[in-house]
Amino acid sequence: AGQYQGSTGALACVDCASGRFQSGTGASSCGACNYNCGAGHFHAGCGLYSAGACNKCGTGMFKSAAGTHGCSDCGTGTFADVTGLSACKACGADLFQDETGRDQCKQCDYHCPAAQEHTGCAGGSPGTCVACAAGTAKSASGTHGCTGCAAGKFHGTAGAAQCKDCVAGTFHDLAGQTKCKNCDYHCAAGSFHA
């Protein structure tokens, strides 16, 4: 097995060449390896005395169509948690995968310091902590996001841990503001501002 002799009367057999095999004895030739396998499978083990077999793609890998090509690593943002897949699975909500060829996704970490909130965790990105937008604040570290300044408060720049009170002579009746409005003390004749 694994050898052949194509000439009558020869004293020695010859090993099958790469990509060929012979599983029997007394053969005059070797057969060609058939590397064609279905989706989710690759061929391995062909040579000398074995025809080999189709095997399932491993975890973290896939093969989308039948053919002679091998399996490929799952890309970022995807995973393969079982063998023999024809397509990788997408990471779900609150999960990401920034590496290729993986069998699971990673959990998003939304923890950020005060004055910052987490954005962009999805697919192939873990996201990042960014400064609270102007008009919002976050007073303590944690997984919660920034919140809009309450009515009567404001913050004009990004990255605030606390909102500021509107100063005397100014106000704002809406939340999430970057500045306060000046009070309007102009009144019609015969009336006053309270």
Side-chain angles (χ1 to χ4, degrees), residues 14-26:
V14 179
D15 285 344
C16 293
S18 177
R20 304 185 73 76
F21 75 100
Q22 180 49 256
S23 58
T25 58

Side-chain angles (χ1 to χ4, degrees), residues 59-61 72-76 78-80 97 99-103:
T59 58
M61 303 183 85
S72 300
D73 284 346
C74 292
T76 59
T78 66
F79 69 104
Q97 183 49 265
E99 300 176 84
T100 60
R102 299 301 172 182
D103 63 359

Side-chain angles (χ1 to χ4, degrees), residues 15-120:
D15 285 344
C16 293
S18 177
R20 304 185 73 76
F21 75 100
Q22 180 49 256
S23 58
T25 58
S28 60
S29 65
C30 294
C33 296
N34 179 2
Y35 294 107
N36 191 37
C37 293
H41 294 77
F42 70 101
H43 198 274
C46 185
L48 290 180
Y49 58 87
S50 175
C54 290
N55 299 290
K56 291 181 178 181
C57 295
T59 58
M61 303 183 85
F62 76 103
K63 181 178 166 191
S64 62
T68 59
H69 58 286
C71 302
S72 300
D73 284 346
C74 292
T76 59
T78 66
F79 69 104
D81 57 346
V82 295
T83 60
L85 292 182
S86 60
C88 296
K89 302 173 185 178
C91 293
D94 298 323
L95 298 170
F96 75 100
Q97 183 49 265
D98 55 352
E99 300 176 84
T100 60
R102 299 301 172 182
D103 63 359
Q104 63 183 346
C105 294
K106 300 174 184 176
Q107 186 70 41
C108 294
D109 179 7
Y110 293 111
H111 191 274
C112 291
Q116 294 184 1
E117 65 183 347
H118 200 275
T119 63

